[in-house]
Amino acid sequence: MLVSLSWLKEFVDIDEDAKAIAEGLTMSGSKVETITSYGKEISNVVVGKIISLEKHPNADKLLVGIVDVGTEKLQIVTGAQNIKVGDYIPVALHGATLPGGVKIKRGKLRGIESNGMMCSAEELGLDESLLPEYQRNGIFILPPFPLGMDINEALQLKDDVLEFEITPNRPDCLSMVGIAREVAATFKKKFKMPVVEVNESEEQNPAKVTIEATDLCFRYVARVVKNVKIGPSPMWMQMRLLKAGIRPINNVVDVTNYVMLELGQPLHAFDLDKVENKHIIVRRAKEGEKLVTLDGKERTLDSSMLVIADEKKAIGLAGVMGGENTEITDTTVNILIESANFKGSNIRHTSKKLGLRSEASSRFEKGLDPEITVLACERAAQLMEKYCGGTVLKGLVDEYPKPIEKTVLTVNPHRINRFLGTELPTSQMIEILEFLEFKVLQKGDDLEITVPHFRRDVTMEADIAEEIARLFGYNNIQDSLMKNAQTTLGAMTKEQELEEKIKEVLLACGLNEIVTISFMGSKDLDKINVPLDSPLRKAVKIINPLGEDQSLMRTTLLPFILNVAYTNYSRKVQDFKVFEISKVFMPKELPLKELPQEIKTIAIGMYGKDVDFYSLKGVIEALFEVMGIKGVEYVRAEDPSYHPGRSAKILLGDETLGIFGEIHPDVLENYDIPVRVYGGEINLDKVIQYANVEKRYMPLPKYPAVERDIAVLVDRDIFVKDVEKVVLETGGKLIDKVELFDVYKGPNIPEGKKSVAFSIWYRSYERTLTDEEVNVIHNNIVEALDKKLGAKLR
């Protein structure tokens, strides 16, 4: 929520600067993220009018203009193409300063004197992306302001804008009046609402409203304004919208957005002449019903969605976006103002389902106050009469089937003090609550509190205690120790610390953590091709299962990873990388006589455009590196769940740590996943057992290394790891590092052979090695490769 300080001060009298207000509100629970200042770096920029415009004699893309700035007429050279004679523009005079420390001086452009600069909106510090198309990438065109008027005054530019992080339980703060209430309560100032007075004509409002889906629409208010004149809204309104991050469109639409920001109630304006029989019907969408929304996209709806319709067609997606068929255009004359209250969860569901999020939906989905609808509608009608030249027809349509009653709570001040660890007098509690517009009635030792309609998040005594605490100031509450209780120092075990480190590694590798249930069915094992005689089939049976598909304690995590992969793929998720750390349950014997062995397991799954076997192997290698586990080998695996030529077992000596690879195509077919998926399972208990995360200091080597490359021809079925092993064993301690840099099969290589090339670094930490010593070791390696693997030097 972006809040203009100058706008805010219309609702609360406060002299503090933006920084003090930000600090105060942050301490009272309304967190301020940033403060952006406008206009403070701008000086000597005034309103000017172009009185002549000619082509530059020495440049095709430049224009020479004469600009009247009130006190004098200046010649200015510009490259802008969006200007014409008679336009009012911002002019930076000689000696002017602009945002970013830019200083303007008179000078010459291609031999023609230029005595200032015509300014774009961006050069004044405004976001051009929020401006109309004709205002972008060119000079900022102004309405007819007095010539020579300071631009900060003309545009009300000098301002501070506070960006608030509003929590979902406080939709009332998604408005100027909501933040103003918080400012008034925090600084103990008087809060005032905008004065709303509507001048109605004698002509009766012809609109009708029918709410068919009363469970999804709680209230619908409508006003009709006739004979509006579509045009730009006042510059002050446009500037307030720009500072709030909303693009000005026209006076009617700008009024609805302005009132939404001011009061927190989203509004919508329909072209009344396009509404069949002027009858608004709030109903569920029909299955497969089509609606082209204001963004020009056709949406296919279903019966879970709420639409605004007339007697023939849908004309808007309730709480999300209006329809193109009733859009306000330059030819619109009569409009209907909608101010409604919808069920938040339904708006959120519709917005997510269609992938369509708007300023309105982001407010409605949090649950708005239905009592503000009338005030917002009247405020919009008031502004449209004033700035759109319209006539407000007599009568307000207000359909409110089930009015919501205010919440009344009874709380005990002594209990609140004990809860907070404070000793506040009851009178101070009452004062705080009344500043927040709670009505408080003291009844004996208790307080009867009527919660204001806009604070629907306050439902219990603990909420009242929170309101008192945050306004009193958390920093003013004295520290106190727990009484009548023993305190102990909490700490994680070594195993827990290592598990957290493993999670950090996997997250750093781009994986997301998932959590699935611990129950499975025999069909889960069938789908991953587990043989009937496999130990994974000997699962613990649950006596009272929720169903056949959850009748066993799981013995593998792979089916659950694939279920999540299917869910993501079916929802068009293009890149999928997840992990789960959980237990599998392996019974020691059946029938069960003692608790099964619980083995903590890491399961990984991934698919995507750039994902292959080596992507998964890289994640696993990173995991072992951080865990300090060395000597891990990867050998071809034969497991029916995995592709026979693209899977590997993870070995550490004689111990099997896990298995990973490409999931077997038959398994993927069982899950209806048409893309390659890579997965694996690693025994976390064994990883923790062999982990060595202690780091030892190693001094930098004093003596240089000698690098030699070696390339040998070996049989294609010999693993690179076997070649590397022979090199290391033969070279002994004098080998500092071995690095593979090439594996080649193709022309000039005999059939059935491949070329494997390594870089070998030889180093002694006690002396400088001679070429003769290195040659002896290198030759021994060549001979050992030939003897043990039949490798021939290329």
Side-chain angles (χ1 to χ4, degrees):
M1 176 70 187
L2 298 173
V3 173
S4 160
L5 189 56
S6 62
W7 191 0
L8 183 72
K9 288 182 177 181
E10 290 188 4
F11 306 106
V12 58
D13 295 321
I14 187 166
D15 297 325
E16 278 77 2
D17 61 17
K19 186 176 180 182
I21 292 173
E23 289 175 353
L25 289 178
T26 298
M27 292 303 294
S28 66
S30 302
K31 184 181 178 184
V32 176
E33 292 282 346
T34 59
I35 301 174
T36 303
S37 295
Y38 290 91
K40 292 187 177 179
E41 295 181 278
I42 297 175
S43 66
N44 214 20
V45 180
V46 300
V47 176
K49 180 181 179 181
I50 300 174
I51 57 177
S52 74
L53 206 58
E54 296 178 359
K55 191 176 180 181
H56 194 294
N58 303 321
D60 292 338
K61 295 184 178 180
L62 295 180
L63 299 172
V64 180
I66 302 299
V67 181
D68 187 353
V69 294
T71 57
E72 57 181 325
K73 294 179 176 62
L74 302 175
Q75 177 175 283
I76 298 176
V77 179
T78 179
Q81 301 299 314
N82 69 319
I83 52 176
K84 64 183 185 300
V85 173
D87 282 344
Y88 287 76
I89 58 170
V91 180
L93 306 178
H94 172 69
T97 58
L98 296 174
V102 177
K103 294 184 178 180
I104 304 301
K105 296 181 180 179
R106 65 171 61 96
K108 288 187 177 182
L109 287 173
R110 294 289 184 94
I112 300 295
E113 187 174 340
S114 183
N115 295 303
M117 186 178 79
M118 303 179 191
C119 298
S120 68
E122 188 175 24
E123 287 162 338
L124 297 177
L126 300 174
D127 185 354
E128 279 199 343
S129 67
L130 297 174
L131 293 173
E133 198 69 41
Y134 75 94
Q135 293 275 37
R136 301 178 195 175
N137 303 315
I139 303 306
F140 191 18
I141 309 301
L142 304 174
F145 288 120
L147 298 182
M149 187 179 190
D150 185 270
I151 201 67
N152 277 324
E153 182 184 353
L155 298 179
Q156 299 182 20
L157 195 58
K158 191 169 285 187
D159 199 0
D160 291 303
V161 175
L162 286 70
E163 181 182 4
F164 285 85
E165 179 188 314
I166 306 299
T167 54
N169 67 314
R170 292 298 306 274
D172 60 298
C173 286
L174 290 169
S175 65
M176 296 300 302
V177 297
I179 295 296
R181 284 192 187 99
E182 290 295 307
V183 172
T186 300
F187 293 92
K188 293 182 171 54
K189 301 289 184 179
K190 186 177 180 180
F191 165 74
K192 52 189 176 185
M193 285 288 285
V195 178
V196 179
E197 294 178 353
V198 178
N199 297 318
E200 294 181 326
S201 69
E202 291 302 317
E203 186 178 349
Q204 193 66 34
N205 182 352
K208 296 179 291 181
V209 174
T210 303
I211 303 177
E212 293 182 358
T214 55
D215 57 326
L216 301 181
C217 178
F218 304 132
R219 191 174 192 178
Y220 197 101
V221 176
R223 268 277 193 194
V224 170
V225 183
K226 286 187 68 176
N227 300 323
V228 298
K229 296 176 180 62
I230 304 298
S233 58
M235 184 54 70
W236 65 264
M237 184 179 288
Q238 292 188 43
M239 292 302 299
R240 287 186 172 181
L241 293 175
L242 283 168
K243 291 174 189 176
I246 292 180
R247 179 168 61 92
I249 297 174
N250 58 50
N251 48 1
V252 170
V253 176
D254 289 356
V255 164
T256 61
N257 285 330
Y258 182 84
V259 174
M260 176 184 70
L261 293 173
E262 184 179 63
L263 300 178
Q265 170 65 42
L267 304 175
H268 186 69
F270 296 101
D271 187 327
L272 184 63
D273 297 325
K274 298 175 184 177
V275 178
E276 195 72 26
N277 291 330
K278 299 176 176 53
H279 186 188
I280 294 291
I281 302 169
V282 188
R283 59 171 172 81
R284 283 178 164 81
K286 300 168 186 175
E287 285 293 334
E289 187 171 7
K290 307 286 187 181
L291 174 67
V292 178
T293 46
L294 288 173
D295 57 1
K297 295 181 180 178
E298 185 178 74
R299 313 282 177 176
T300 302
L301 314 180
D302 61 43
S303 58
S304 68
M305 301 173 185
L306 187 68
V307 295
I308 310 301
D310 60 21
E311 293 180 358
K312 289 188 177 180
K313 61 189 179 298
I315 60 175
L317 199 55
V320 182
M321 189 175 285
E324 197 177 66
N325 51 13
T326 52
E327 181 182 7
I328 302 298
T329 65
D330 292 342
T331 60
T332 298
V333 177
N334 304 314
I335 65 169
L336 181 143
I337 304 169
E338 168 195 277
S339 179
N341 187 268
F342 305 111
K343 187 175 182 180
S345 59
N346 179 260
I347 302 302
R348 181 168 59 251
H349 168 82
T350 300
S351 179
K352 289 184 69 176
K353 206 166 191 178
L354 295 176
L356 178 60
R357 191 171 174 83
S358 63
E359 285 283 346
S361 67
S362 67
R363 285 168 166 78
F364 276 123
E365 67 187 20
K366 295 174 177 63
L368 295 181
D369 166 30
E371 297 297 320
I372 198 71
T373 50
V374 171
L375 178 65
C377 190
E378 298 288 64
R379 176 65 165 156
Q382 175 192 26
L383 293 173
M384 286 185 190
E385 178 194 11
K386 187 172 183 180
Y387 297 111
C388 305
T391 301
V392 182
L393 300 192
K394 186 176 183 180
L396 179 81
V397 179
D398 183 8
E399 289 295 318
Y400 197 5
K402 298 176 183 177
I404 296 174
E405 296 181 0
K406 288 185 178 180
T407 302
V408 179
L409 303 174
T410 300
V411 302
N412 183 275
H414 175 70
R415 196 162 51 237
I416 288 176
N417 271 326
R418 190 172 59 191
F419 179 66
L420 298 177
T422 56
E423 296 180 359
L424 295 175
T426 301
S427 59
Q428 189 172 356
M429 292 185 185
I430 294 173
E431 181 185 16
I432 289 171
L433 293 171
E434 287 181 341
F435 261 112
L436 290 167
E437 298 189 33
F438 290 79
K439 291 183 180 178
V440 185
L441 182 63
Q442 193 162 359
K443 290 188 174 182
D445 293 334
D446 293 334
L447 299 177
E448 185 181 273
I449 298 171
T450 302
V451 180
H453 53 80
F454 54 84
R455 289 302 306 275
R456 301 178 68 188
D457 59 306
V458 177
T459 59
M460 62 182 76
E461 185 176 84
D463 296 328
I464 297 294
E466 181 184 359
E467 296 301 300
I468 292 169
R470 70 184 185 87
L471 268 299
F472 174 66
Y474 292 115
N475 54 318
N476 294 324
I477 298 176
Q478 297 296 316
D479 296 338
S480 59
L481 295 173
M482 288 189 294
K483 298 177 181 178
N484 303 321
Q486 293 182 342
T487 59
T488 56
L489 179 64
M492 289 193 292
T493 63
K494 178 186 175 183
E495 290 76 13
Q496 290 171 328
E497 289 178 346
L498 290 175
E499 185 176 326
E500 287 300 309
K501 188 177 285 290
I502 287 169
K503 287 184 180 181
E504 290 174 6
V505 173
L506 296 174
L507 291 170
C509 288
L511 278 67
N512 294 306
E513 185 175 9
I514 62 171
V515 179
T516 58
I517 61 173
S518 299
F519 310 135
M520 68 176 186
S522 58
K523 288 184 180 178
D524 289 311
L525 299 175
D526 295 338
K527 289 174 76 172
I528 62 169
N529 293 347
V530 173
L532 294 177
D533 59 350
S534 171
L536 299 180
R537 294 275 184 182
K538 298 175 181 177
V540 177
K541 293 184 179 180
I542 299 170
I543 296 174
N544 55 341
L546 296 174
E548 183 61 31
D549 58 342
Q550 295 182 18
S551 60
L552 305 173
M553 297 297 290
R554 63 181 172 187
T555 55
T556 173
L557 300 182
L558 186 60
F560 301 87
I561 291 288
L562 293 175
N563 279 329
V564 176
Y566 166 74
T567 300
N568 279 265
Y569 184 82
S570 66
R571 284 160 176 74
K572 304 189 186 307
V573 176
Q574 301 296 320
D575 295 297
F576 172 79
K577 294 180 180 179
V578 301
F579 74 93
E580 178 174 11
I581 295 179
S582 192
K583 293 177 179 179
V584 296
F585 304 87
M586 304 299 296
K588 298 174 184 176
E589 58 179 330
L590 291 174
L592 201 65
K593 294 181 180 178
E594 57 179 308
L595 290 175
Q597 184 182 6
E598 299 182 13
I599 304 170
K600 272 204 168 179
T601 303
I602 307 168
I604 299 175
M606 56 177 64
Y607 68 73
K609 181 180 178 182
D610 299 319
V611 172
D612 59 18
F613 173 87
Y614 295 102
S615 305
L616 179 54
K617 185 171 181 280
V619 172
I620 294 169
E621 287 176 337
L623 174 63
F624 288 140
E625 182 179 352
V626 173
M627 288 295 101
I629 300 176
K630 298 180 180 179
V632 173
E633 294 185 62
Y634 304 94
V635 300
R636 182 172 294 171
E638 294 183 7
D639 187 295
S641 299
Y642 296 87
H643 193 294
R646 300 171 189 158
S647 58
K649 286 195 299 183
I650 306 169
L651 301 180
L652 183 63
D654 297 330
E655 195 88 70
T656 299
L657 299 186
I659 185 172
F660 71 97
E662 183 180 328
I663 304 302
H664 198 289
D666 292 345
V667 173
L668 294 178
E669 189 175 335
N670 292 337
Y671 284 90
D672 292 327
I673 304 175
V675 296
R676 290 182 177 181
V677 179
Y678 301 86
E681 292 181 275
I682 302 171
N683 188 317
L684 175 59
D685 291 333
K686 289 183 179 179
V687 171
I688 290 174
Q689 178 185 343
Y690 295 113
N692 181 13
V693 293
E694 292 183 2
K695 304 295 182 185
R696 292 193 177 186
Y697 167 73
M698 289 284 290
L700 291 173
K702 296 180 181 179
Y703 305 101
V706 179
E707 182 182 354
R708 296 286 175 85
D709 290 344
I710 184 172
V712 293
L713 290 174
V714 295
D715 293 339
R716 285 197 178 188
D717 58 355
I718 290 178
F719 293 116
V720 171
K721 185 74 177 177
D722 296 334
V723 181
E724 184 180 344
K725 187 175 181 182
V726 172
V727 172
L728 290 170
E729 288 176 350
T730 307
K733 294 182 179 180
L734 292 181
I735 290 187
D736 194 40
K737 184 171 65 171
V738 177
E739 193 173 90
L740 175 74
F741 70 84
D742 184 51
V743 177
Y744 175 68
K745 305 170 189 175
N748 302 322
I749 300 297
E751 187 69 28
K753 299 286 186 179
K754 63 183 175 183
S755 171
V756 180
F758 291 92
S759 290
I760 306 174
W761 283 264
Y762 300 94
R763 189 198 304 272
S764 169
Y765 284 79
E766 299 172 354
R767 56 191 171 80
T768 301
L769 295 176
T770 64
D771 282 343
E772 289 76 12
E773 289 177 288
V774 172
N775 289 340
V776 170
I777 302 168
H778 200 72
N779 291 334
N780 290 341
I781 290 172
V782 173
E783 291 174 6
L785 289 171
D786 186 10
K787 183 178 179 180
K788 295 181 179 181
L789 301 176
K792 302 297 182 182
L793 194 64
R794 285 190 69 189

